Amino acid sequence: MASPANDRPTNPPSRKKSKLRCRTSGNFAQWLTQSGGSLAITTYTSGLLVLVSSFEGRLRYRTQRFSRPMGLAIKENRLALAVRREVLLFQRTSDTNEVFRLRRIYHTGKVDAHDIAFGNQGVYFANTRYNAIARVSKKKHFIHCWQPSFIAGVVRGDRCHLNGIGMREGQPAMVTAFCATGHQSGWREQDRFTGGVMIDVERDEVVAAGLCMPHTPRWHNDHWWLCDSGRGLLSVFNETSGETQEVCALPGFTRGLSFVGNHALVGLSRIRRKHILDAPPVRQRVRKIKAGIALVDVSSGKHTGTLEFLDAGNEVFEVTFLPELLAPSIRSSRSG
């Protein structure tokens, strides 16, 4: 059930944390200044939600700590955030108020929520532990909405690492997963460099295969875009030909994607060596792996600028553009 008014979101354990340090290169700072908005970024291993805005020509950073913040979505005055065992719903009280205040806590339990999205029937999330798309609920941990046909029954245990939800016309339309396998921990046993898939939800059909740990399917300009994460790519999927094409090769594990006009904001991560998500294809291509946000001109496919996290923020999960907000802030307490 929804939390009583005096509940608080789960906080990370109290221990010394590295302070986030950032720098920009290329035209990133100039672009953000001209964009008329700000950025919200989740860095889940660092436990940070980072708000980046431009003030008098200089970038300003605000950070808020949460326990394992991952999926992030915005719709009008509402912002949803997936954290450990909870989905948090924030809201601004008016169009002129730039403070997002906590309005509701949905206790999902241990579902390992990844992507999150607003849709016609509420807030959807990738229920990775149950290999499904789910919705938040006031009365129970979650409402089961859809799962791929290669998963037999509603079962607990991550089998295919379903992680990304792509929305179209208010409905989940595409998902990404590390493999099309239905047995317990199957995704850990598969060749993670070639076993990744994108699945059409309505047709319940794998439409793209041979991907490397894919994430973040997004519908933009009549095409599906995604992060071919282990290869460090921003890619586009052609529904007619069934081919996935590289748009831009980037210096990091790509995960998290937002579009602003002709530009894409792509999350970059420095995945730990020998970790299950380690990305040797990226390491073989670039000398220095970066963490932060890459700015890509999708009309030319060029990487034109970077917001780089130097300390903390090593593993970005999502980046979301906050239009018309020039100094946003988050209040995780419902008081005030």
Side-chain angles (χ1 to χ4, degrees), residues 106-181:
Y106 295 97
H107 293 285
T108 60
K110 191 175 181 180
V111 296
D112 197 19
H114 279 57
D115 255 6
I116 195 167
F118 288 99
N120 291 341
Q121 293 183 282
V123 179
Y124 295 83
F125 63 92
N127 188 336
T128 304
R129 186 173 173 84
Y130 285 81
N131 316 284
I133 297 173
R135 294 201 320 269
V136 299
S137 171
K138 298 177 183 178
K139 298 181 178 180
K140 52 186 179 180
H141 286 321
F142 60 86
I143 298 171
H144 187 275
C145 298
W146 177 89
Q147 68 186 40
S149 57
F150 54 78
I151 302 293
V154 180
V155 290
R156 182 185 302 175
D158 185 355
R159 296 165 186 242
C160 62
H161 205 66
L162 187 153
N163 59 65
I165 304 176
M167 304 293 289
R168 185 162 60 181
E169 298 179 354
Q171 297 290 336
M174 286 282 183
V175 300
T176 47
F178 279 15
C179 65
T181 302

Side-chain angles (χ1 to χ4, degrees), residues 38-287:
S38 300
L39 306 182
I41 305 161
T42 53
T43 64
Y44 70 104
T45 53
S46 301
L48 293 177
L49 171 65
V50 185
L51 300 176
V52 185
S53 55
S54 178
F55 180 72
E56 295 182 350
R58 299 183 64 183
L59 295 193
R60 178 171 57 184
Y61 310 93
R62 290 179 174 176
T63 61
Q64 180 80 33
R65 291 205 176 274
F66 293 95
S67 180
R68 203 169 183 263
M70 295 184 72
L72 181 68
I74 187 169
K75 183 178 181 181
E76 298 169 349
N77 286 340
R78 295 178 296 162
L79 185 145
L81 174 66
V83 299
R84 192 187 305 273
R85 297 178 180 267
E86 295 162 345
V87 168
L88 310 179
L89 185 63
F90 298 85
Q91 189 167 354
R92 295 187 294 132
T93 55
S94 70
D95 290 340
T96 58
N97 181 4
E98 298 205 357
V99 180
F100 287 93
R101 298 187 183 277
L102 182 63
R103 291 300 181 225
R104 186 176 295 278
I105 302 174
Y106 295 97
H107 293 285
T108 60
K110 191 175 181 180
V111 296
D112 197 19
H114 279 57
D115 255 6
I116 195 167
F118 288 99
N120 291 341
Q121 293 183 282
V123 179
Y124 295 83
F125 63 92
N127 188 336
T128 304
R129 186 173 173 84
Y130 285 81
N131 316 284
I133 297 173
R135 294 201 320 269
V136 299
S137 171
K138 298 177 183 178
K139 298 181 178 180
K140 52 186 179 180
H141 286 321
F142 60 86
I143 298 171
H144 187 275
C145 298
W146 177 89
Q147 68 186 40
S149 57
F150 54 78
I151 302 293
V154 180
V155 290
R156 182 185 302 175
D158 185 355
R159 296 165 186 242
C160 62
H161 205 66
L162 187 153
N163 59 65
I165 304 176
M167 304 293 289
R168 185 162 60 181
E169 298 179 354
Q171 297 290 336
M174 286 282 183
V175 300
T176 47
F178 279 15
C179 65
T181 302
H183 64 274
Q184 179 67 35
S185 298
W187 70 276
R188 293 179 178 272
E189 302 166 4
Q190 295 290 311
D191 178 359
R192 65 186 186 278
F193 303 131
T194 60
V197 295
M198 188 162 70
I199 307 168
D200 185 302
V201 171
E202 184 177 359
R203 291 157 53 188
D204 193 6
E205 177 183 341
V206 173
V207 292
L211 303 172
C212 183
M213 300 179 281
H215 287 81
T216 333
R218 298 291 182 262
W219 180 251
H220 175 70
N221 282 352
D222 297 325
H223 287 89
W224 284 106
W225 303 70
L226 71 152
C227 293
D228 198 353
S229 306
R231 297 187 178 104
L233 303 180
L234 170 63
S235 298
V236 64
F237 173 67
N238 187 315
E239 288 188 280
T240 302
S241 67
E243 296 180 350
T244 302
Q245 300 173 329
E246 173 186 326
V247 175
C248 186
L250 294 164
F253 185 95
T254 51
R255 177 179 52 200
L257 177 60
S258 183
F259 288 93
V260 187
N262 286 328
H263 286 87
L265 296 157
V266 187
L268 303 176
S269 294
R270 289 190 295 266
I271 298 296
R272 293 154 282 173
R273 288 184 181 273
K274 298 183 180 180
H275 187 269
I276 188 67
L277 301 186
D278 190 16
V282 181
R283 297 189 190 284
Q284 293 166 7
R285 177 169 51 79
V286 297
R287 184 172 60 181

